[in-house]
Amino acid sequence: MPATIVVGTQWGDEGKGKFTDLIAKEMSAVVRYQGGHNAGHTLVVDGESFALQLVPSGVLYDHITPIIGNGVVVDPVVLLAEMDMLASKGVDCSRLKVSGNAHMILPYHQELDRLIERHLGKNKLGTTKRGIGPTYADKASRVGIRLQDLLDPTIFREKLRVAVAEKNLVLAKVYNRLGFDADELADRYLDDVLPRIAPHIADTVSLVHEFLEAGNHVLFEGAQATFLDIDHGTYPYVTSSNPVAGGACVGAGVGPRAIDRVVGIAKAYVTRVGAGPFPTELHDEIGDRICEIGHEFGTNTGRRRRCGWFDIPMMRQAVRLNSLSELAITKLDVLDTFDTVKACVAYDIDGRRVEHLPYHQSDFHAATPVYEEFAGWGTDLSAVTERAGLPAAADAYLAFLEREVGVPISLVGTGPGREQFVHFTA
Ligand code: IMP
């Protein structure tokens, strides 16, 4: 019963979708376990680009069952729109299953996400405003509405009335806003959403276990990333779920012993969207060049991503938090034209050299990077597919990262296409 987790090791947008797509051939099911449509996976297949938010990337393979697990927060309207977009490009979504235990993002969650951000002013988190935080908050407060509730219209109406009554009070009294009409909302979801989504709602925990028990390979696909994790990330500048590998167990309903392999995905540099500490961030022309060459703008929101050099102490922490068995490095080709390439090997915190992520957030804010500098390779890597074809300088840079991080680098991405990667370790 082989099971693999793919997890982002930085602040998201590492190119997890491309990796998932790469190993999809061996998989029978691909499971999303947390997050919602705050994620954005871009896949380029046969020159065509697919931007996915909710549907697991395995959908592009006919032999894969794409599964949205219980830990995901689902805006069903967005899900249906994404399925329509895929259908218009000839992709069959009929196999898609979504957990009845997944919580629904409803219009009032999105409205609250926007209002809370505005209320925070200069302290805002820079959320994607998709309603992610308010939906997970309702889940934890036990006033959330799950997809399975839609299947029982009486229950759905009742739960919606209770939830909307409370939300309307908050909207009116805290934010001076008009509220929602629970009955109108219920009619809309029961008439327009339910008939289309019902065939996809399933007991996904049983489904995942059936795949595993039959000896099929299941891939658990993380969204966002390790340092956006609500427990282990740079709180409060995090998302509201657990992207770390352990989140796969909770968000899909499997125990830790079911997992055989955990693949961490890291860019050859680091990016971050939204606010929060970022020790290796570049505020200069080099940062602008990385952003431009790497097309570092949000798939979803179009926001410019902050860019900086590779951060080894962060990666060491990611190895610990996720029990990484290996690392896949993406977008190495973005650094092709740089004269020198840097990697942060430690932080200087008030004159102390620190080689691991500091525990206290104030220390992380105060951390300045200690860099190791490497000669650039000045070669176009886009056609390189074997380690032997890598220029010596690129090989040396990767070998250094591998040694310092402490886990093998299995794959290295050299371009956006499906074929553009190098097997680094045999
Ligand atoms: P939220 O997930 O919309 O609540 O946003 C919380 C933080 O996570 C913000 O800093 C977002 O920019 C960040 N974030 C959420 N989803 C992604 C993603 O898929 N990639 C990168 N950053 C993300």
Side-chain angles (χ1 to χ4, degrees), residues 14 38 46 74 78 180 183 216 219 229 310-312 340 345 358 364 379 387 422:
E14 294 92 350
N38 47 349
D46 299 332
V74 176
V78 171
F180 289 84
D183 288 328
N216 292 304
L219 180 70
D229 186 280
F310 196 85
D311 187 326
I312 290 168
T340 53
V345 290
F364 198 48
T379 314
R387 183 168 181 177
V422 171

Side-chain angles (χ1 to χ4, degrees), residues 331-349:
K331 297 184 103 166
L332 184 66
D333 55 298
V334 171
L335 304 180
D336 283 356
T337 57
F338 288 77
D339 294 336
T340 53
V341 171
K342 293 185 186 177
C344 166
V345 290
Y347 305 123
D348 182 308
I349 303 174

Side-chain angles (χ1 to χ4, degrees), residues 11-13 38-40 113 125-130 132-133 224 228 237-240 272-275 303:
W11 280 295
D13 312 307
N38 47 349
D113 202 352
L125 306 176
T127 75
T128 59
K129 302 196 179 83
R130 303 289 149 100
I132 306 296
Q224 291 83 51
L228 288 173
Y237 303 105
V238 292
T239 192
S240 300
R272 169 162 211 171
V273 268
R303 287 185 295 175

Side-chain angles (χ1 to χ4, degrees), residues 9-10 227 264-267 269-270 310-322 324 327 329 347 357 401 405 407:
T9 57
Q10 297 160 331
F227 294 99
I265 314 293
K267 268 183 206 170
Y269 48 94
V270 182
F310 196 85
D311 187 326
I312 290 168
M314 265 180 80
M315 211 50 54
R316 291 191 187 117
Q317 181 76 346
V319 170
R320 287 175 164 178
L321 292 172
N322 298 296
L324 293 188
L327 202 58
I329 301 281
Y347 305 123
L357 214 70
L401 300 188
V405 173
V407 291

Side-chain angles (χ1 to χ4, degrees), residues 60-242:
L60 302 177
Y61 281 91
D62 289 342
H63 68 279
I64 288 180
T65 302
I67 298 173
I68 298 177
N70 55 276
V72 177
V73 284
V74 176
D75 183 329
V77 177
V78 171
L79 180 59
L80 291 173
E82 191 164 313
M83 287 161 67
D84 288 342
M85 177 277 289
L86 286 164
S88 75
K89 294 187 176 205
V91 178
D92 172 24
C93 292
S94 61
R95 304 172 321 280
L96 176 74
K97 296 295 173 204
V98 51
S99 169
N101 286 352
H103 281 248
M104 263 197 274
I105 300 181
L106 288 157
Y108 50 80
H109 294 122
Q110 305 219 10
E111 173 82 342
L112 281 168
D113 202 352
R114 281 191 291 270
L115 291 169
I116 293 166
E117 280 285 272
R118 195 179 307 163
H119 172 75
L120 286 173
K122 69 175 180 41
N123 294 320
K124 72 177 182 187
L125 306 176
T127 75
T128 59
K129 302 196 179 83
R130 303 289 149 100
I132 306 296
T135 306
Y136 278 115
D138 274 5
K139 175 178 176 175
S141 301
R142 290 151 296 174
V143 291
I145 299 182
R146 301 185 291 176
L147 277 167
Q148 61 162 292
D149 294 326
L150 267 179
L151 301 175
D152 184 334
T154 312
I155 288 282
F156 179 64
R157 275 187 192 284
E158 188 49 35
K159 286 194 174 181
L160 204 53
R161 260 186 218 131
V162 173
V164 166
E166 189 258 347
K167 292 296 179 271
N168 283 353
L169 274 176
V170 175
L171 288 169
K173 303 231 183 268
V174 180
Y175 298 107
N176 197 22
R177 293 275 151 166
L178 289 177
F180 289 84
D181 179 335
D183 288 328
E184 185 275 323
L185 217 50
D187 288 343
R188 183 145 48 98
Y189 277 72
L190 290 172
D191 292 347
D192 302 342
V193 172
L194 174 62
R196 295 197 57 207
I197 204 108
H200 300 279
I201 299 177
D203 169 6
T204 56
V205 172
S206 296
L207 190 59
V208 167
H209 283 276
E210 281 159 22
F211 274 109
L212 291 172
E213 282 155 21
N216 292 304
H217 204 149
V218 177
L219 180 70
F220 299 90
E221 181 182 41
Q224 291 83 51
T226 301
F227 294 99
L228 288 173
D229 186 280
I230 192 161
D231 285 273
H232 301 289
T234 45
Y235 191 90
Y237 303 105
V238 292
T239 192
S240 300
S241 64
N242 289 113

